[in-house]
Amino acid sequence: MSEQEVTYATVRFHKSSGLQNQVRLDETQGPREASHKECSVSWHLIVIPLGILCSILLVTVAVLVTHIFQYSKEKHELQETLNNLNHNYSSMKNESYLNKGMLRNKSIECNSYKNLLDTFKRQQNRCHMEAKVILDCLQHREVPSAPYYSRQLLDRIVI
């Protein structure tokens, strides 16, 4: 294996000629080790803002995760409520359908009773008219056996 030599050069562009000479001197000095580089800005000035930024990002992520879990819990609760409401709606719909059927049956039953009542009223009116005719006939003639006719009339009215 061959050994390789690493050479580092610093290039700076400045307007003054004195600084350009200094750059040329840096090039002629030879290789430097990477760990002995000089920083133009102190590392503390970079680390502190980066630490603050990381802390803010960490807090933001924690808040967002908390909100996601809360929203998923609320969504689950709302889904359960919606399912309960759908169940109640279907139960009420079925009950309403049954009530409409019962109302229809009661209406049919009521109409049949109404027809029966009308029939009874017609029979009562007919009997009343017959009784009136018989009484009118009895009043205009003198019949010796009137109690017999009255008894027959009363029997017809009762029937």
Side-chain angles (χ1 to χ4, degrees):
M1 291 198 185
S2 65
E3 291 184 26
Q4 294 179 352
E5 185 176 307
V6 179
T7 304
Y8 294 99
T10 305
V11 179
R12 294 183 190 163
F13 297 100
H14 295 285
K15 292 184 181 179
S16 67
S17 62
L19 288 176
Q20 288 177 352
N21 290 335
Q22 188 178 19
V23 169
R24 289 184 188 149
L25 288 176
D26 287 343
E27 291 176 357
T28 58
Q29 286 180 358
R32 289 186 184 173
E33 293 180 23
S35 63
H36 295 297
K37 279 183 154 181
E38 291 182 21
C39 294
S40 61
V41 179
S42 175
W43 65 272
H44 294 290
L45 295 176
I46 295 173
V47 170
I48 292 173
L50 285 178
I52 292 172
L53 181 64
C54 287
S55 299
I56 291 172
L57 287 175
L58 184 64
V59 169
T60 303
V61 167
V63 168
L64 289 176
V65 167
T66 304
H67 283 286
I68 288 171
F69 284 127
Q70 286 177 350
Y71 289 138
S72 66
K73 183 179 177 184
E74 287 177 12
K75 181 184 174 189
H76 180 70
E77 290 173 357
L78 288 174
Q79 188 66 35
E80 286 181 5
T81 304
L82 181 63
N83 290 340
N84 289 339
L85 288 174
N86 283 335
H87 177 71
N88 289 345
Y89 171 73
S90 63
S91 297
M92 291 176 79
K93 190 175 180 182
N94 289 338
E95 188 175 324
S96 172
Y97 177 75
L98 293 174
N99 285 340
K100 284 181 182 179
M102 286 175 45
L103 180 63
R104 189 172 34 251
N105 292 341
K106 292 293 181 182
S107 176
I108 291 170
E109 187 180 347
C110 180
N111 286 337
S112 67
Y113 285 137
K114 194 178 202 182
N115 292 337
L116 184 62
L117 182 63
D118 289 341
T119 304
F120 286 149
K121 282 183 181 180
R122 280 193 302 269
Q123 282 181 348
Q124 182 183 12
N125 286 339
R126 190 178 56 208
C127 289
H128 180 67
M129 293 302 287
E130 287 177 6
K132 192 174 183 182
V133 167
I134 292 172
L135 287 176
D136 284 344
C137 287
L138 290 176
Q139 284 178 357
H140 290 305
R141 359 184 192 159
E142 290 185 27
V143 179
S145 58
Y148 172 73
Y149 290 115
S150 300
R151 183 75 184 146
Q152 191 179 25
L153 176 66
L154 288 175
D155 289 341
R156 271 185 127 177
I157 293 173
V158 171
I159 296 174

